[in-house]
Amino acid sequence: MTKSTPTVASSEKAGIEQKLYDIVAEVSLSGPDLLLSPTIKAVSDVTIETEHLTGTTPKHLFISVRGEDFETFERELQQDYTVAEPVLVETYEGRRVYRLEPVSTVELIAPRCPELDARILDVESGDGGWVVRMQIPTRQALVSFREYCLENDVTFRVNQLGNATDHKETDVVGLTEKQKQLLRMAFECGYYEIPRRISQNELAHELDISTSAISQRLRRDTEQLIGSALAVTKKDH
């Protein structure tokens, strides 16, 4: 008996709809009722990243905090009216992980993202609030998001808006030309020297983007370069 070779049906033959999320937007959000807003404003020299984000207020939320002055951060965190019951989960050199309970009246960092059909790529504190990178199918989704923010007293500013395909044209080290240009400029200007010959503020000024945007891009691009060059991935904590 001749054994037939199985075939894999394409998404079109299987009837799966294809939807292109071909717009990448980076926006800054700030407001008194956003999660951790008081702490972010009080402690500007730490960086907070979320490890869990949903469209509804979760029972627990995990955040990763990078910096040096954790004593000040934890003091402000205990007084923050947007969260309750902060718990230190893990401690690393220059980084700590906390578990929080957002209060029921607080706005999450990227409100209504599931309803707006947005895919969250990255969320990090910056500009006195949060900097969010998201992938969206249409510009109208971003317009709707902006309208919702303004209706709910959340300041909304677009830092960058581009095409997702720009982020996919990578070379053997996994970097786009835009990413390589930034790292090359930072290297040539002495950002990686000890002591540094140029600050993040000065780099941001040269590129005409916000300080929080340059901070995120440098961290993300360096992380991607190391991961690609050494063939390693981050461990889940």
Side-chain angles (χ1 to χ4, degrees):
M1 179 182 294
T2 303
K3 184 179 294 186
S4 60
T5 302
T7 59
V8 179
S10 67
S11 60
E12 181 180 357
K13 291 181 180 180
I16 298 176
E17 178 187 1
Q18 182 177 10
K19 192 169 189 177
L20 298 178
Y21 285 70
D22 56 357
I23 300 174
V24 174
E26 179 184 281
V27 300
S28 290
L29 307 174
S30 61
D33 295 324
L34 279 182
L35 184 75
L36 293 173
S37 179
T39 300
I40 292 172
K41 289 185 176 180
V43 192
S44 59
D45 57 350
V46 301
T47 300
I48 307 171
E49 299 175 74
T50 63
E51 295 194 350
H52 178 63
L53 183 69
T54 66
T56 58
T57 305
K59 172 65 176 175
H60 293 121
L61 176 75
F62 290 88
I63 60 170
S64 178
V65 182
R66 299 179 186 274
E68 296 181 358
D69 192 0
F70 289 105
E71 181 178 349
T72 302
F73 172 79
E74 291 180 359
R75 183 173 64 249
E76 295 295 334
L77 184 63
Q78 289 178 317
Q79 301 174 4
D80 195 317
Y81 57 81
T82 67
V83 297
E85 304 297 331
V87 176
L88 176 61
V89 176
E90 289 184 299
T91 301
Y92 307 92
E93 183 177 355
R95 183 172 77 93
R96 295 185 181 182
V97 178
Y98 300 85
R99 188 194 72 188
L100 313 171
E101 293 185 13
V103 300
S104 59
T105 56
V106 73
E107 284 279 10
L108 289 181
I109 301 156
R112 288 194 64 211
C113 277
E115 292 91 336
L116 295 172
D117 208 10
R119 177 191 175 202
I120 301 299
L121 301 177
D122 193 46
V123 180
E124 186 176 278
S125 62
D127 287 345
W130 293 97
V131 180
V132 182
R133 286 181 68 251
M134 62 180 72
Q135 208 167 339
I136 51 179
T138 65
R139 288 178 180 263
Q140 183 56 45
L142 190 63
V143 172
S144 299
F145 185 26
R146 177 180 180 275
E147 291 174 350
Y148 175 83
C149 289
L150 296 180
E151 289 171 0
N152 289 274
D153 297 322
V154 175
T155 301
F156 178 100
R157 186 180 74 249
V158 176
N159 298 329
Q160 292 182 335
L161 189 63
N163 195 297
T165 56
D166 296 336
H167 300 265
K168 295 177 181 177
E169 297 174 358
T170 62
D171 60 10
V172 290
V173 295
L175 296 178
T176 66
E177 186 59 36
K178 184 177 181 180
Q179 289 173 314
K180 287 190 293 182
Q181 288 176 356
L182 172 61
L183 293 179
R184 187 181 297 115
M185 178 179 179
F187 181 82
E188 292 175 347
C189 291
Y191 177 77
Y192 294 104
E193 293 181 14
I194 302 176
R196 287 175 175 169
R197 290 193 289 111
I198 190 170
S199 67
Q200 285 189 0
N201 286 338
E202 291 168 329
L203 273 175
H205 179 73
E206 290 290 330
L207 295 170
D208 194 26
I209 60 178
S210 68
T211 303
S212 64
I214 198 73
S215 173
Q216 282 205 29
R217 286 177 55 184
L218 282 170
R219 178 186 57 79
R220 188 168 55 242
D221 296 352
T222 304
E223 180 180 284
Q224 185 172 332
L225 175 61
I226 293 172
S228 298
L230 302 181
V232 296
T233 59
K234 292 190 299 182
K235 295 180 180 180
D236 294 328
H237 297 294

